[in-house]
Amino acid sequence: MDNIALQKRDRVLISIRRILTVHLILAIGVICYFAKDLLMPFALGLLITMTLAPVVRMLSRYRIPAPVSAVLLVITIGGFITSFGYMMSTPMTELFDSIPDIGQTLEEKISPYKQSVDAISKAGEQVEKMASGGDQPAKVVLEQPGIISSAASTVANGLTTIMLAFVLSLFMLASGTLFQEKLIAVMPRLQDKKRALTVAYQVESSVSRYLLTVTLINAGLGVVIMSLLSLVGAPNPVLWGVVAAVLNFLPFAGALLGVGLLAIVSLGTFETLPAALLPPAIYYACTTIEGNFITPAIVGHRLQLNIVAVFMAVVVWGWLWGIGGALMAVPILLVVKILCDHIESWHVLGEFLSGRDVAIVDTQSAED
């Protein structure tokens, strides 16, 4: 009887643990959704900190204090982003100025198809009117904000998030090894201290190498696309090279979005269909080669995630935090996978997140 009672108690405890885990996940999701304006800068700041922390430690070996190196890094990166944004303002202005002409050209090209669609639409409205037995009551349509105003609001929110993230990363980088010291202090046993420090350095090293490597790959992709588009006479090749480099941080949808935007501009710019399809074909070919051959060859031994898990992470974080969440989905998933590799109760989730053959990251911890 005692054994049966113990087994029942264990089953009840397991059920309670599972229910509490589900409720915890739901609670975290609700908090992330409603507090995204507060949490996004912190998440981005942590990713920036993990990316730049190895650089700060490397500079400390040359007797450069952490606060000094942190300020230099943040100012350098911030100045580069600001200067680059200023340089891209002219191509962006040219593109926005050409939107009316592009729209007019597209309207002229699709006008034969539009007439057929309008005829079918009118026929459908007449059938609906006859089926309802009379005139329909007037519908009240709420005026939605324009595309330009919505884009301006999105850009302003994104810039605010980036500024807060850089300020947070500045303070965290300037603190040096304070986080590691506090982590060691709160752990009760020496074994736990070593394990926590190993996990912390492994997360930092893996995220840093992944983001830096992907950034260099995307920059190279942008240069290649810019060069090829300039050869075929595409409009604003520099702008589209930058767009390709930025959108390539977004898994799955980034390349398709870039191809779609370039196809719209090309159709509204070139006179013939073959000439209009050549720039998006070049864009698609370059992103396909990069995504299927170059990036797996360079990043494959450092990062192998289940592609289903990556897709689900992009969808979930994109739903929670918009495009910013989709951009941070893979690094966040990388952190979760490393934690799963070191927490025994999370090994099942870690196995699901793993790729087919090898682990997600190198097993060697980063050296101080």
Side-chain angles (χ1 to χ4, degrees):
M1 295 298 294
D2 292 338
N3 292 333
I4 296 176
L6 290 175
Q7 292 177 359
K8 290 183 178 179
R9 188 194 66 177
D10 292 339
R11 286 196 295 266
V12 171
L13 291 176
I14 293 174
S15 300
I16 294 175
R17 182 181 299 176
R18 290 176 178 174
I19 294 173
L20 291 176
T21 302
V22 172
H23 281 78
L24 178 61
I25 294 173
L26 294 176
I28 293 174
V30 171
I31 294 173
C32 290
Y33 182 79
F34 288 102
K36 60 181 179 181
D37 294 334
L38 177 64
L39 296 178
M40 278 187 64
F42 283 95
L44 182 58
L46 288 174
L47 292 178
I48 295 174
T49 301
M50 286 187 288
T51 303
L52 299 179
V55 181
V56 173
R57 283 202 302 273
M58 181 188 68
L59 294 176
S60 66
R61 296 172 184 171
Y62 297 94
R63 297 184 178 180
I64 300 178
V68 176
S69 58
V71 172
L72 290 177
L73 283 174
V74 172
I75 290 178
T76 301
I77 296 175
F80 175 78
I81 294 175
T82 303
S83 302
F84 194 75
Y86 179 76
M87 292 173 55
M88 296 307 300
S89 61
T90 300
M92 289 291 294
T93 302
E94 294 177 356
L95 178 61
F96 281 116
D97 291 340
S98 62
I99 286 178
D101 296 334
I102 294 174
Q104 183 177 1
T105 304
L106 285 175
E107 187 175 359
E108 293 174 356
K109 291 183 177 181
I110 66 174
S111 58
Y113 308 99
K114 185 178 179 182
Q115 293 177 359
S116 302
V117 174
D118 290 340
I120 296 174
S121 178
K122 290 180 180 179
E125 291 177 358
Q126 292 179 356
V127 172
E128 183 179 357
K129 184 176 180 180
M130 294 173 59
S132 60
D135 296 335
Q136 294 291 325
K139 296 182 179 179
V140 178
V141 180
L142 298 177
E143 185 177 357
Q144 300 294 329
I147 297 177
I148 302 298
S149 60
S150 299
S153 177
T154 302
V155 170
N157 293 334
L159 292 176
T160 302
T161 300
I162 293 174
M163 290 179 60
L164 292 175
F166 270 102
V167 172
L168 174 64
S169 64
L170 173 62
F171 286 113
M172 295 185 68
L173 290 171
S175 64
T177 59
L178 179 62
F179 173 77
Q180 288 82 357
E181 295 172 3
K182 296 297 183 182
L183 187 63
I184 293 175
V186 298
M187 291 297 170
R189 298 181 301 175
L190 180 60
Q191 183 179 1
D192 296 332
K193 296 178 187 292
K194 293 181 179 180
R195 185 177 183 183
L197 196 61
T198 299
V199 174
Y201 278 127
Q202 187 173 349
V203 169
E204 180 185 279
S205 175
S206 300
V207 172
S208 176
R209 287 184 297 174
Y210 169 74
L211 290 178
L212 290 175
T213 304
V214 170
T215 299
L216 293 176
I217 292 173
N218 292 347
L221 174 67
V223 171
V224 171
I225 290 179
M226 176 192 67
S227 303
L228 294 178
L229 291 182
S230 62
L231 291 177
V232 299
N236 290 327
V238 177
L239 176 61
W240 289 109
V242 175
V243 169
V246 174
L247 289 181
N248 207 52
F249 283 99
L250 183 61
F252 305 108
L256 296 178
L257 180 60
V259 171
L261 293 175
L262 183 56
I264 294 174
V265 175
S266 297
L267 289 173
T269 303
F270 293 97
E271 295 296 332
T272 61
L273 184 61
L277 294 180
L278 183 58
I282 292 174
Y283 190 111
Y284 180 75
C286 291
T287 54
T288 301
I289 294 173
E290 176 273 328
N292 291 280
F293 299 100
I294 298 177
T295 297
I298 297 177
V299 188
H301 67 285
R302 297 177 182 172
L303 169 64
Q304 274 208 355
L305 287 169
N306 186 344
I307 190 171
V308 177
V310 174
F311 180 78
M312 292 173 61
V314 171
V315 172
V316 171
W317 285 108
W319 172 68
L320 290 174
W321 288 354
I323 188 171
L327 292 172
M328 292 187 289
V330 176
I332 292 175
L333 193 65
L334 176 59
V335 174
V336 173
K337 178 61 178 65
I338 296 174
L339 295 177
C340 291
D341 289 340
H342 291 84
I343 300 176
E344 185 176 357
S345 58
W346 292 12
H347 281 179
V348 176
L349 177 61
E351 182 64 26
F352 171 75
L353 298 179
S354 298
R356 183 179 297 274
D357 295 323
V358 298
I360 184 173
V361 293
D362 298 335
T363 56
Q364 295 181 349
S365 59
E367 295 181 358
D368 191 2

